[in-house]
Every structure is written in C-alpha cells, then in structure tokens.
Amino acid sequence: VSIFVDPVVEMVEGAKATGTNRIELYTEGFASQFAAGNKEKAIAPYIAAARKANELGLGINAGHDLDLNNLKYFAENIPGLLEVSIGHALICDAIYLGLENTVQLYKRQLG
C-alpha cells in the first residue's frame, strides 16, 4: 500500500501510523520552485520527508510534474527513492521525440 503525501514530516509519520509500506511524495511544489530557479529551497522539504520515511522503514515513490528538466536533480537528492510516476510529461515529450527515445531519455535521468 502506498499513500500520496506532501513533503511534510508529520504526513510521513501519519502514513506510517496507518500501516502503509510506501509513500508517494507529491512533487508539484518541487517542480514549480525548481522551474523558478530555487533548486535548493525546492528540494529541502523532500529530503527531510525522505529521511523520515527511511528512518521509519517506508519505501519512497514520487510523482507529479517531474520531467526531463528536474528529474535528475530530484532523484540524485532523495535518499531511498524507489520509483517515480511520470506519465504525463513522458507522453508529452514522446509526441515530439518518439516514445522509445523518450523512455530512454527518462531512464538516463535516473542513473
């Protein structure tokens, strides 16, 4: 079971209290601040939430507004990130770049 949460330590703790085994960090706030040029400010609450999730033994997923511009930075800075959900951006990019090429570009961002 995975619960969608904002990058708030108390929400991560609440997810653990429900018995879930994963959280999915809602990344719209990160993407917005990243695009505005505030990378460090954008990632800080996500790092704190991820550290708490790791401490509590929760798996970490993330999704919403992650794309080819911000995915690598996000993935490199979130300890224990297991999975990302990127359907919308991937399909939008695939319209111009082709699906096979786009999938490969996203996989490269993840390491």
Side-chain angles (χ1 to χ4, degrees), residues 9-111:
V9 169
E10 293 81 10
M11 289 186 81
V12 175
E13 292 168 336
K16 177 65 176 179
T18 69
T20 191
N21 47 3
R22 279 196 188 197
I23 58 165
E24 181 165 337
L25 294 170
Y26 179 59
T27 54
E28 181 183 20
F30 163 76
S32 296
Q33 287 190 332
F34 184 92
N38 300 319
K39 293 190 320 185
E40 293 81 16
K41 183 178 178 184
I43 199 73
Y46 293 88
I47 293 170
R51 285 183 179 151
K52 179 52 76 172
N54 287 325
E55 177 186 311
L56 297 173
L58 294 172
I60 303 168
N61 298 350
H64 199 85
D65 289 344
L66 295 173
D67 60 25
L68 287 173
N69 297 314
N70 61 30
L71 178 59
K72 182 176 180 126
Y73 184 79
F74 187 84
E76 288 176 344
N77 286 282
I78 300 303
L81 183 64
L82 299 171
E83 184 178 311
V84 290
S85 300
I86 312 177
H88 182 81
L90 189 141
I91 295 303
C92 290
D93 289 337
I95 291 170
Y96 298 101
L97 304 171
L99 185 58
E100 184 176 347
N101 185 43
T102 300
V103 169
Q104 293 306 313
L105 290 169
Y106 274 88
K107 286 175 74 174
R108 279 188 218 130
Q109 297 301 308
L110 294 169

